[in-house]
Amino acid sequence: MSFDDHLSPGLDTLGLETLAIRAGHERTHEQEHGEPIFPTSSFVYGSAAEAARKFKGEEPGNVYSRFTNPTVRTFERRLAALEGGERCVATSSGMAAILSTVLALLEAGDEVVVSRSVFGSTIALFDKYLAKFGVVPRYVELNDLAQWEAAITPRTRLLFAETPSNPLNELVDIAALAELAHRHGAWLAIDNCFLTPALQRPLELGADLVIHSATKYLDGQGRAIGGAVVGRDQELEQLYGVVRTCGPCMSPFNAWIFLKGLETLSLRMEAHSRNALAFAEWLESQPAIERVHYSGLESHPQHSLARQQQRGFGAVMGLEVKGGQEAAWTVIDNTRLMSITGNLGDVKTTITHPGTTTHGRLSDGQRASAGIRDGLIRIAVGLETLDDLKADLERGLTLL
């Protein structure tokens, strides 16, 4: 019996926490309580005629785990329910999710307007690879709607933004950007991996697509790589075709890990946000720090917008120390508790120097345009005791 059948009248009556724990699971004949893992490459049929029907799509069912796997399907249904979308397609990584979206919806000669403050690999994907196939990117300031509109041409098919941005916590008014996109006949895709549906639901604000690096907070413990796209069935059917044919699929084991992560998503994101806000407020009082970039702070220029379209502020922040790269490295190298790594979204606090790691492949001009200064440090605040995190960072700050 499926979850949807058992808990009528439907998903729209249930709370986010319930959906994160229950949505999408269809119990097998074994009547298992926890979601099973199906680590199989293929599936068998009762007859040649049944196989033919399923391969043609005339009958629902599993065909090949590259594009039909029960564990992956459970994850897709659950995330779609959490984001309020009609459908979800899971991918092998967050970058694969972005690539699959562009391959599905755009063609040579089409243009995409992208905020300058996206993840460094996203810029490299558009500039170095997709541009070779005739997809033209145009970059704008994330929070300047006038720039977005000025960059749109008759060839623009997609607007793409991260909000909050990595790592400066810049925001865009999603509802206003969606209205702008639709007025010009374009789709709006929002990367929601920093906040997750626990803190922000872009589809409710008018976005057409929500993109995730499931590697981050959907898992929450740094265990697996994966991605996902959520939206309407019409666009997702095209994206499903890309995954089916090109193969950037999620593994059943990783899907199972993400399902376990989703069960605690709301609790974790609330705790991350609470820890991060207190940490950011403490950082603002430190004399060696020039500026803290965190939308939960009243000093943040878009704090009001954050309160309007988000249910929390997340865990990721940028802080700029006096003294440039040398000072930033001194702070990072003197930590003993925080993990020095380019990843984030973990219960363990992570710290990195964006200019030489996550955004290190960008040119000096690209980093400057994205606001990635030499003294910038990114911290993704975990769930450790706050006083321990303060003491760990203070060890380096006192040397500046």
Side-chain angles (χ1 to χ4, degrees):
M1 178 181 292
S2 75
F3 167 82
D4 295 26
D5 293 338
H6 185 61
L7 292 179
S8 62
L11 300 178
D12 56 347
T13 67
L14 300 173
L16 192 76
E17 292 81 2
T18 304
L19 295 173
I21 294 170
R22 297 281 186 174
H25 179 200
E26 293 186 1
R27 292 192 179 95
T28 71
H29 67 281
E30 300 291 351
Q31 292 296 294
E32 71 281 347
H33 187 223
E35 300 85 353
I37 308 175
F38 288 86
T40 180
S41 59
S42 63
F43 303 86
V44 297
Y45 312 101
S47 67
E50 179 190 352
R53 291 193 301 272
K54 288 183 177 177
F55 268 77
K56 290 179 181 178
E58 297 173 350
E59 180 179 318
N62 301 309
V63 176
Y64 190 56
S65 277
R66 187 177 70 240
F67 55 96
T68 52
N69 180 276
T71 313
V72 176
R73 184 166 60 247
T74 300
F75 166 73
E76 290 173 333
R77 289 176 173 174
R78 186 166 299 177
L79 185 58
L82 288 173
E83 286 285 7
E86 294 178 359
R87 187 173 178 181
C88 170
V89 172
T91 61
S92 57
S93 68
M95 293 307 303
I98 300 172
L99 174 62
S100 298
T101 298
V102 175
L103 290 177
L105 301 181
L106 305 186
E107 60 185 40
D110 286 347
E111 297 179 1
V112 54
V113 183
V114 187
S115 66
R116 287 194 181 94
S117 52
V118 293
F119 179 47
S121 291
T122 304
I123 294 175
L125 175 65
F126 281 110
D127 285 354
K128 188 174 181 180
Y129 298 103
L130 293 172
K132 292 197 301 184
F133 298 95
V135 174
V136 180
R138 298 182 183 276
Y139 295 98
V140 297
E141 296 296 330
L142 175 63
N143 57 11
D144 190 336
L145 289 173
Q147 283 196 28
W148 285 94
E149 182 144 34
I152 294 174
T153 76
R155 296 296 301 173
T156 301
R157 296 290 179 267
L158 178 68
L159 276 58
F160 182 91
E162 293 177 12
T163 181
S165 70
N166 177 15
L168 297 180
N169 260 241
E170 295 172 314
L171 311 178
V172 69
D173 185 328
I174 297 174
L177 191 59
E179 188 280 328
L180 176 62
H182 299 156
R183 180 154 37 90
H184 290 277
W187 291 287
L188 172 61
I190 296 293
D191 187 319
N192 198 31
C193 78
F194 273 23
L195 294 183
T196 81
L199 301 181
Q200 177 174 265
R201 305 224 309 175
L203 298 180
E204 290 182 348
L205 299 170
D208 301 288
L209 301 163
V210 174
I211 294 177
H212 281 282
S213 171
T215 313
K216 311 301 190 294
Y217 292 102
L218 298 189
D219 171 23
Q221 298 183 58
R223 298 169 294 187
I225 302 290
V229 185
V230 183
R232 292 182 297 262
D233 186 71
Q234 181 178 356
E235 288 81 19
L236 269 293
E237 179 63 25
Q238 298 178 63
L239 203 143
Y240 170 74
V242 171
V243 173
R244 174 174 183 157
T245 302
C246 302
C249 56
M250 179 179 288
S251 78
F253 182 73
N254 285 8
W256 183 81
I257 287 178
F258 297 138
L259 284 166
K260 297 297 101 182
L262 289 178
E263 291 179 352
T264 60
L265 180 63
S266 292
L267 290 172
R268 286 187 288 103
M269 295 310 295
E270 180 182 348
H272 277 296
S273 296
R274 184 172 57 249
N275 240 16
L277 179 56
F279 194 55
E281 290 172 341
W282 174 77
L283 288 170
E284 278 199 310
S285 68
Q286 303 306 302
I289 294 177
E290 291 183 329
R291 184 178 178 185
V292 180
H293 301 271
Y294 184 66
S295 65
L297 295 172
E298 293 186 5
S299 60
H300 191 282
Q302 296 174 291
H303 177 68
S304 295
L305 176 60
R307 292 178 63 88
Q308 173 185 325
Q309 69 183 19
Q310 302 170 193
R311 291 187 290 274
F313 306 109
V316 182
M317 64 185 65
L319 54 130
E320 297 187 39
V321 296
K322 300 173 182 177
Q325 179 179 312
E326 182 178 354
W329 282 19
T330 295
V331 172
I332 293 170
D333 289 348
N334 278 278
T335 58
R336 298 293 179 268
L337 183 65
M338 299 182 187
S339 303
I340 304 174
T341 177
N343 196 31
L344 55 89
D346 204 305
V347 293
K348 303 179 182 73
T349 297
T350 65
I351 187 170
T352 194
H353 182 249
T356 52
T357 59
T358 58
H359 294 69
R361 289 189 297 164
L362 302 182
S363 67
D364 291 343
Q366 287 174 319
R367 280 194 297 273
S369 295
I372 308 300
R373 299 173 61 185
D374 290 342
L376 180 67
I377 295 171
R378 188 191 72 192
I379 297 179
V381 180
L383 303 185
E384 302 95 338
T385 301
L386 185 59
D387 285 343
D388 295 334
L389 297 177
K390 292 177 181 178
D392 195 43
L393 199 68
E394 197 170 28
R395 187 180 297 108
L397 291 175
T398 57
L399 299 176
L400 303 185

